[in-house]
Amino acid sequence: VGLTVGTETSFSKTVGELDVHGYAGLSGDQHPMHVSKTFAGDFPGGRRVAHEALLVALMAAAASRLALQQSEPQLAPLEIDVRFDGRVPIGETVTARARVASAATSRGAVLDVLCEDERHVPVATGSIVMSGLLARDG
Amino acid sequence: MSGRSPDGLDVVSLGDQATISRTVTESDVYLFAGLSGDMHPDHVDGASMRRTSYGHRVAHGALLVAYMSAASARFTQRFTAPTVSYGYDRIRFVRPVFLGDTVTVEYTISSKDEQRVRALADIRCTNQRGEVVAVGTHIMQFLSSTRDTPDG
């Protein structure tokens, strides 16, 4: 059992209006860089950008999908390290990737994760430790 | 106060804090599942979760990261210097968060990196019983007033 080193998964998502405003609502992060066109217009790029932490959600989702694909539903994110390397304007399509870097550390399996934009430039990179937290009997 | 203009790291001091509290509802978790693409049964399949030691659906760990970022945004409201989130170190999810739990996030400035113009904050998330559910460190990058972008 456990995740296989070197295996990976990815999925792509166009970050839309609803994603950003939905994220603003459920997080409570209403920073004008995310929700105000006029504020964002004064900055490089000139467009509203997604919350950086939304990229964490996408990377964790990729990690979660990888565990499910390998029939390890008990594995869940235990630890996350992340760096935000770029910004994602609304309308950009982001690809989230997760790859098993090491399967058996004392804490769990370590996944390399990243999000990249349409030009394949990383906008967030990091690692997620997946650990078996749940005892299932069915 | 020094005579310098309130720009960059001068506007924050060690121990400065922001706190937010959120009750995690079913709609939060389902909206989060939809926009993240994480439909893991831990979050959306109550029947499956009843057969586990947890007994109930749990919130996504990354939803707590959303609350961390909101605490960070709340913190930045106290000054006008532009900042961006540079990253998080060692976020750990130490206890499950169930639907109906109320999570409080304490965001506390723990150190300053004058060289790279960054502030580090300890983040502590607790539930309504005061139990720690998640911890981490946030790195806040201050931008110069010429509004350039961070270079790492």
Side-chain angles (χ1 to χ4, degrees), chain B residues 3-114:
Chain B
R4 299 164 65 185
S5 63
D7 197 11
L9 277 181
D10 289 347
V11 297
V12 299
S13 302
L14 301 191
D16 281 356
Q17 201 172 58
T19 302
I20 63 161
S21 289
R22 300 292 293 238
T23 299
V24 180
T25 68
E26 185 175 60
S27 64
D28 291 319
V29 172
Y30 279 70
L31 177 57
F32 197 84
L35 62 83
S36 70
D38 188 342
M39 307 296 290
H40 194 287
D42 286 2
H43 315 301
V44 297
D45 183 345
S48 150
M49 289 305 284
R50 277 194 288 279
R51 299 193 297 269
T52 71
S53 57
Y54 284 177
H56 305 278
R57 289 165 292 172
V58 298
H60 303 73
L63 177 59
L64 299 178
V65 183
Y67 297 159
M68 293 176 184
S69 82
S72 162
R74 167 73 57 86
F75 183 81
T76 63
Q77 283 174 6
R78 66 181 64 193
F79 51 78
T80 54
T83 62
V84 292
S85 178
Y86 183 71
Y88 292 85
D89 279 340
R90 295 177 306 282
I91 294 174
R92 285 179 61 89
F93 306 111
V94 297
R95 271 193 188 80
V97 171
F98 298 103
L99 308 188
D101 280 355
T102 298
V103 174
T104 297
V105 183
E106 290 173 330
Y107 182 96
T108 310
I109 298 298
S110 57
S111 66
K112 300 205 292 185
D113 180 342
E114 304 279 354

Side-chain angles (χ1 to χ4, degrees), chain A residues 11 13 18-20 22-31 39 42-44 51-54 56-58 60-61 64-65 67-68 72-85 87 107 133-138, chain B residues 20 22 27-28 31-32 34-43 48-54 58 61-63 65-67 69-70 73 76 82-94 138-139 143 147-150:
Chain A
F11 72 96
K13 178 182 170 85
L18 179 60
D19 294 309
V20 172
Y23 199 85
L26 66 82
S27 70
D29 182 345
Q30 304 278 343
H31 193 286
F39 182 91
D42 284 345
F43 285 82
H51 300 73
E52 293 87 356
L54 174 60
V56 178
L58 299 179
S64 179
R65 289 180 181 210
L68 289 176
E72 300 283 354
Q74 80 287 357
L75 293 179
L78 171 70
E79 277 186 38
I80 298 179
D81 282 88
V82 63
R83 291 290 179 271
F84 302 115
D85 310 299
R87 308 297 139 183
R107 295 170 303 167
L133 298 177
L134 288 180
R136 288 174 189 271
D137 58 8
Chain B
I20 63 161
R22 300 292 293 238
S27 64
D28 291 319
L31 177 57
F32 197 84
L35 62 83
S36 70
D38 188 342
M39 307 296 290
H40 194 287
D42 286 2
H43 315 301
S48 150
M49 289 305 284
R50 277 194 288 279
R51 299 193 297 269
T52 71
S53 57
Y54 284 177
V58 298
L63 177 59
V65 183
Y67 297 159
S69 82
T76 63
T83 62
V84 292
S85 178
Y86 183 71
Y88 292 85
D89 279 340
R90 295 177 306 282
I91 294 174
R92 285 179 61 89
F93 306 111
V94 297
H138 182 234
I139 306 163
L143 304 181
R147 293 180 167 176
D148 58 2
T149 48

